[in-house]
Amino acid sequence: MSGSEMKYINEAFATNWIAPLGPNVDAFEKELASFVGINAAAAVSSGTAAIHLALQLLDVKKGDTVFCSSLTFVASANPILYQGAEPVFIDSEPETWNMSPLALEEAFKDADSANKLPKAVVIVNLYGQSAKMEELITICKNYKVPIIEDAAESLGSMYKGKASGTFGDFGIYSFNGNKIITTSGGGMLISNNPEALQKARFIATQSRDPALHYQHSEIGYNYRMSNILAGIGRSQLEVLKERVKARRAIFNMYYQELSCIPGLSFMPELKNTFSNRWLTALTIDEEITGVSVNKLLAALDSENIEARPVWKPLHLQPLFDKNKYYSHNQNMSVSEELFQTGICLPSGSNMTVEDQMRVIECIKKALIG
Ligand SMILES: Cc1ncc(COP(=O)(O)O)c(C=O)c1O
């Protein structure tokens, strides 16, 4: 926590705004929109809810298809299922670990020739690193298909001088407990279209028609953020830049100490992009190091250090075993390779240098003895 959360929480209590609306919600939306440089933002109960709302605004429904990054957390795709639509998964490319423009183009070509273009494309910015937005936008524009930018992990990151999350027709952020800033649970839907966000707020408040009696003409959800949590969010936003600085410093320390070990490669940062380095991720070439991901995870675990494999690609999940998948090229599934060789290191903004050195020493011991 930043330390000033209680100021906003106390204000909410003093003014009795204990509801999923109120001055903190309005202010948090405005402050976040201004921070990332977008016209409008709607504070909601989670990043997942924000994706779900974006899909509804784009009229995604039963029988539609939606293209989605494969190398991501399941929350990027679950809302596609909520709408009864079918996700088609797109592989990563090696330079950002995010959606491959080559695979996306292939998927579009097939969809076009089958006369069934997707209703939307969900592009994820993994671990803080922005996807190759310019190339991806060009392809989507060519087929006139809107983009939802899943920036749950990349708040505070930049792509060619513009905030990550602001490139799609809609963007989403998450304030889940593990994110770079948190409201314990929460999310934000952003767009340059304020009318669309007004509609999102309507759907997120049970689609209540403007009538004194409770009248409803369409399906709605209870997705708004509470005024107390928005107070936490306002205070967290004040320290976002510091949090990014801390995460990048942690990445730099790992890089400085470990990048010289043959067989280790850190997640790249594409030229003209600035990653918040939400998580420090790297790959291990077992043939060179003689140590597998699982072995390294076990070595860390034995020292009570929690590390994780890279996300298991969604096209490999039992939930999606019938869904289509487009790989980066015929010989190479980048997301599968990253899953087999990737590891995320402890990266919390509050890690001390001693904490970081403890992780580094443990990795050195496991890899070079
Ligand atoms: C890539 C990605 N998308 C979506 C989400 C969903 O956010 P939330 O947990 O706030 O629903 C998360 C994180 O949880 C995420 O990492």
Side-chain angles (χ1 to χ4, degrees), residues 250 254 258 266 278-282 296 300 306-308 343-348 351 359-360 363:
I250 292 166
Y254 284 137
L258 300 171
F266 281 77
W278 174 56
L279 292 189
T280 292
L282 49 85
L296 184 57
L300 288 161
E306 190 186 13
R308 292 281 171 88
I343 177 168
C344 298
L345 298 180
S347 309
M351 280 182 88
V359 180
I360 287 163
I363 294 173

Side-chain angles (χ1 to χ4, degrees), residues 312-362:
K312 178 172 180 174
L314 296 185
H315 72 275
L316 298 180
Q317 299 286 356
L319 175 63
F320 298 115
D321 63 359
K322 306 235 163 16
N323 291 81
K324 267 198 193 159
Y325 167 65
Y326 285 86
S327 62
H328 181 58
N329 63 41
Q330 276 178 347
N331 313 316
M332 192 182 184
S333 171
V334 175
S335 58
E336 287 179 23
E337 197 160 315
L338 288 169
F339 173 55
Q340 274 152 22
T341 59
I343 177 168
C344 298
L345 298 180
S347 309
S349 325
N350 58 354
M351 280 182 88
T352 61
V353 171
E354 291 81 67
D355 292 336
Q356 296 163 42
M357 286 315 293
R358 203 163 77 79
V359 180
I360 287 163
E361 290 312 323
C362 180

